[in-house]
Amino acid sequence: MSRSSKWVVRACFAGWLVFIYTYLQRPPFNFLVLNTLLAFIPIELSFHIDVGKPKNMILFWLLIIVWMLFYPNTPYLLTDLFHLSLLNPYGVNGLLRLDDTMWLKFSLLLISTIFSTLLGMWGLDRIAAAISARFKMSDMPVFKDLVIIILTILSSIGIFIGRFLRIHTIYLFLTPEMFIRPLLNMWSHSAIVFIVLLTVVQLVFYYTLKLISSQKGLGQ
């Protein structure tokens, strides 16, 4: 992605955040403003990570860790789609209602989710390529795929933590002790099923994008 394209992305996010903040100031959909902002943070971080960038090894891995802590916020938006049920989409006849406000809020939620998720997947590919290069494994595509899968599993765990334990990424920096006990006690059959399913969903998104952009590559 060129430098000008990155600024276009930033401008689009800034304009979009202002728009949805103005329109969605009251519950139940005002959560979209914060969630979209959190989804943008790992996208911005991915702009500063590339093969050989940053050159300093410590800074590189520090950025990778910070990116990984925030990255689950991007695919997390996929689970926000459940909030569409708050719109009471079905009428008494069992058919979808044709309501302007309902469809506008549906569009706002979908745009935030799709735009953020697609750009997040671009960033995921970029991060995986950078990690592969650091391990001098760029010539082994299977290693990059393994990195993608590991990062996606970690992302799914992060989504579970945010969705069901209600622990936001920012809490890790403010009150890290809040993470320890919930993380140890969160493992159950249902949790594992959720993590597996969300991992599959994310990988389907990623490899579909990879297939579409196979001529140039996501990282181009």
Side-chain angles (χ1 to χ4, degrees):
M1 187 182 294
S2 65
R3 179 175 297 182
S4 60
S5 296
K6 293 175 184 177
W7 280 107
V8 169
V9 170
R10 292 176 179 128
C12 287
F13 264 103
W16 183 250
L17 285 168
V18 170
F19 176 73
I20 59 177
Y21 174 78
T22 303
Y23 185 74
L24 300 174
Q25 292 188 6
R26 291 177 295 183
F29 285 93
N30 54 335
F31 69 85
L32 188 60
V33 179
L34 176 60
N35 287 2
T36 303
L37 175 61
L38 290 174
F40 171 69
I41 293 175
I43 294 171
E44 175 63 36
L45 288 171
S46 68
F47 290 164
H48 303 279
I49 303 171
D50 202 352
V51 174
K53 177 185 175 182
K55 293 182 179 180
N56 183 280
M57 185 69 72
I58 296 176
L59 181 57
F60 172 81
W61 287 110
L62 180 61
L63 280 177
I64 292 293
I65 291 171
V66 175
W67 173 86
M68 188 64 247
L69 290 174
F70 280 97
Y71 176 68
N73 291 298
T74 303
Y76 179 91
L77 282 170
L78 293 170
T79 65
D80 278 338
L81 295 176
F82 275 104
H83 291 300
L84 292 172
S85 62
L86 298 173
L87 295 172
N88 298 314
Y90 293 99
V92 294
N93 58 0
L95 300 177
L96 283 172
R97 295 188 297 115
L98 188 58
D99 180 88
D100 294 348
T101 301
M102 182 189 80
W103 285 104
L104 175 58
K105 290 181 178 178
F106 165 82
S107 299
L108 297 181
L109 186 52
L110 208 59
I111 289 171
S112 275
T113 300
I114 294 176
F115 188 56
S116 300
T117 300
L118 293 181
L119 284 169
M121 294 297 171
W122 173 87
L124 174 64
D125 185 84
R126 187 178 174 96
I127 298 299
I131 292 175
S132 299
R134 291 285 167 159
F135 283 102
K136 303 187 185 303
M137 299 289 239
S138 296
D139 57 341
M140 294 183 62
V142 67
F143 182 83
K144 181 181 175 182
D145 287 332
L146 179 61
V147 173
I148 290 289
I149 292 172
I150 292 173
L151 293 177
T152 303
I153 292 173
L154 293 175
S155 172
S156 298
I157 294 173
I159 295 171
F160 180 88
I161 292 171
R163 176 54 68 191
F164 296 104
L165 303 186
R166 306 306 298 166
I167 300 176
H168 288 284
T169 306
I170 196 67
Y171 293 164
L172 181 60
F173 299 97
L174 299 178
T175 54
E177 67 276 5
M178 288 181 59
F179 272 71
I180 300 175
R181 188 178 297 277
L183 285 178
L184 293 176
N185 296 332
M186 66 179 246
W187 299 100
S188 65
H189 173 76
S190 296
I192 294 173
V193 169
F194 176 88
I195 290 168
V196 170
L197 291 176
L198 264 293
T199 298
V200 172
V201 169
Q202 291 181 76
L203 289 176
V204 168
F205 259 91
Y206 173 79
Y207 284 106
T208 300
L209 269 178
K210 194 72 173 175
L211 179 64
I212 294 172
S213 58
S214 58
Q215 292 296 319
K216 296 179 64 177
L218 281 171
Q220 297 294 322

